[in-house]
Amino acid sequence: MLGNFVRTTYKVNRRHFHKSRQLNEEFENPIFRTFRILRDDIQLKNRPKNRIKSQDRSFPRHADIVIVGGGAIGSSIAYWLKEKSNYDGVKVVVLEKDPTYKKCSTALSVGGLRQQFSLAENIQMSLYGAEFLRTLKKRFGPDADVNFHPHGYLLLANEEGAPLLEDNNKLQRELGAVNVLLTKEKLKERFPYMDVSDVALGCLGLEKEGWFDPWSLLTLLKNGAKQLGAQYVTGEAVDFLFEEKSSIMVQGVDQGTYEGTNTLVVKLPNEDKCREIKFALCIIAAGCESAEVAKLARIGIGPGMLSIPLPIEKRKRYVYSFNCQGNPPSINTPMVIDHSGAYFRRDGLGGSFIAGRSPDPENEPPTDNMDVDYSYFDETVWPLIAKRVPAFNAVKVTGAWSGFYEYNTFDMNGIIGPHPYFLNMYIASGFSGHGIQQAPAVGRAVAELILDGRFQTIDLTRLGFDRLIVDKPMYEVGII
Ligand SMILES: Cc1cc2nc3c(=O)[nH]c(=O)nc-3n(C[C@H](O)[C@H](O)[C@H](O)COP(=O)(O)OP(=O)(O)OC[C@H]3O[C@@H](n4cnc5c(N)ncnc54)[C@H](O)[C@@H]3O)c2cc1C
């Protein structure tokens, strides 16, 4: 009897379900309401953890961890924090002022991946970058793809640079890179379209090197982080609020007080009034603007340890696209880094290439605009690459763009880890032209440091902020 009643009521109500629910849930039949609540409950329980939709949550007034900057580095950190903390463990908020990413380094990068560095940490991070790209589908699903071109890098050295190339190659191979040294004769054999008359030695990456689409990597990391529950907020970090806190450096000993911060002030687009996010930990991953964000936290303008600035500056780099009008170098041409500093690589098919060269330090272009200087191609880049590949004497420039390196003026390497003054402020920036390939490793390393209390996979201790205080630069010679 009761069963019939339920069925009848359910049938009747089902017809009007959506309407009645919209009109007024108060008048809903109590039995049907029970069914609805039970159904919603079951759906909620069965919802896969990695499907938590965070985009529609409103402005977060607090977070366990707030990351300033949602480029490749910030998004990788967010992804790894959520992945390592079992999705729900830690509330992660990523603050990104420009969700179109039109000026950020990640979107304007040329996406090169190589192990041909001089510093062990850089080699190890890029080895992991290659591993991460190789296993993308396992991590992000069958459609995950960053269009990796595994054609390697070819670094060319003259007589003077050859011993260093040899030393670096030794270290790279010891750490797991698969690079081979090529004499002038071997280079001629392998790359007949190149003039190597002024080259003494080359180093070619046979595996795990090439280039990929940085935008696709950013999208995977960002969507991956969101699916695991990280919340992305469009807004600009404009200040930190400070308050006196008691120092807990030595237990039982009164260490006095220090000025700490747990509050980030955020300017939202289309709102005059700023909002505040309380955080337990803040990570500065704001690319070439990291020093400005650090300054908001008094890094570089405060007393004592705070007087040391984050040495990260914008450095404008031009990338030129061109079409080779004659007989172009073969389809498996690697990314070639000439000893003059000029580089080129294929960009698609049909004789299309890109090329560039970092300007000499005394001729750094202005960074208050993103204009491209085409004369720099004509007068500097073109002669160098046309000397190397005579077929490039006939090229047609098809486009160009500029982007900013987040350039670490201290030693041209990433600064990764906590700031020594604050107990709750981390930095992950300053990668000086090699950050996109290191983003997966940096995200994982920062998550380890925060969640496990120490680096577990690659020890990046030497790349911490402390090296600035003790004035111990970690120079990387392989900067392009
Ligand atoms: C032309 C060019 C070529 C490159 N080629 C390579 C390469 O071949 N291989 C390689 O590994 N790397 C390369 N790089 C470097 C690489 O792109 C960067 O190291 C990497 O993308 C840095 O990522 P990021 O997340 O730190 O910075 P970004 O991608 O710049 O992201 C930082 C984000 O922080 C946001 N932000 C800044 N300030 C605030 C604020 N106050 N509040 C909120 N958000 C803020 C910005 O809007 C930005 O989106 C290249 C870079 C350029 C420009």
Side-chain angles (χ1 to χ4, degrees), residues 300-322:
I301 53 171
M305 227 187 280
L306 285 174
S307 63
I308 299 168
L310 191 59
I312 296 172
E313 283 178 8
K314 281 181 183 174
R315 292 279 167 98
K316 202 203 283 189
R317 298 294 176 255
Y318 305 121
V319 184
Y320 304 92
S321 334
F322 63 89

Side-chain angles (χ1 to χ4, degrees), residues 231-433:
Q231 184 178 4
Y232 276 67
V233 172
T234 300
E236 181 174 359
V238 291
D239 209 354
F240 288 92
L241 301 184
F242 286 81
E243 56 189 59
E244 277 214 341
K245 294 182 181 291
S246 54
S247 173
I248 50 160
M249 294 294 278
V250 184
Q251 225 178 6
V253 178
D254 182 10
Q255 288 284 301
T257 57
Y258 82 107
E259 290 243 0
T261 174
N262 285 99
T263 310
L264 182 63
V265 182
V266 177
K267 168 91 180 64
L268 296 186
N270 310 321
E271 273 192 22
D272 294 333
K273 236 178 101 198
C274 288
R275 307 235 197 163
E276 292 172 12
I277 305 180
K278 291 241 180 261
F279 60 82
L281 206 144
C282 176
I283 302 170
I284 301 174
C288 61
E289 291 165 286
S290 293
E292 280 78 56
V293 177
K295 242 185 233 165
L296 302 175
R298 301 184 183 163
I299 296 170
I301 53 171
M305 227 187 280
L306 285 174
S307 63
I308 299 168
L310 191 59
I312 296 172
E313 283 178 8
K314 281 181 183 174
R315 292 279 167 98
K316 202 203 283 189
R317 298 294 176 255
Y318 305 121
V319 184
Y320 304 92
S321 334
F322 63 89
N323 199 273
C324 180
Q325 304 287 286
N327 198 9
S330 64
I331 200 156
N332 58 356
T333 303
M335 168 91 102
V336 178
I337 315 293
D338 195 48
H339 58 68
S340 62
Y343 71 84
F344 66 86
R345 72 150 161 88
R346 202 168 48 70
D347 189 37
L349 302 172
S352 298
F353 288 81
I354 57 171
R357 179 183 181 270
S358 289
D360 297 324
E362 60 281 11
N363 291 321
E364 283 288 353
T367 53
D368 57 353
N369 62 61
M370 298 198 79
D371 299 347
V372 174
D373 179 0
Y374 281 88
S375 70
Y376 186 67
F377 180 79
D378 293 342
E379 289 160 19
T380 307
V381 179
W382 185 28
L384 293 171
I385 59 171
K387 153 103 191 65
R388 190 60 61 223
V389 178
F392 288 164
N393 275 302
V395 300
K396 187 173 172 198
V397 175
T398 51
W401 74 88
S402 77
F404 296 122
Y405 275 9
E406 71 293 16
Y407 194 84
N408 171 355
T409 55
F410 183 66
D411 60 10
M412 291 151 277
N413 269 311
I415 298 171
I416 304 159
H419 186 274
Y421 176 86
F422 295 104
L423 302 170
N424 60 348
M425 185 82 63
Y426 279 57
I427 293 155
S429 193
F431 300 95
S432 313

Side-chain angles (χ1 to χ4, degrees), residues 69 71-73 96-97 105-106 109-110 112 237 289 406 433-437:
I73 298 291
E96 171 52 56
K97 67 175 179 176
S105 305
T106 298
S109 170
V110 304
E289 291 165 286
E406 71 293 16
H434 47 274
I436 192 73
Q437 62 197 286

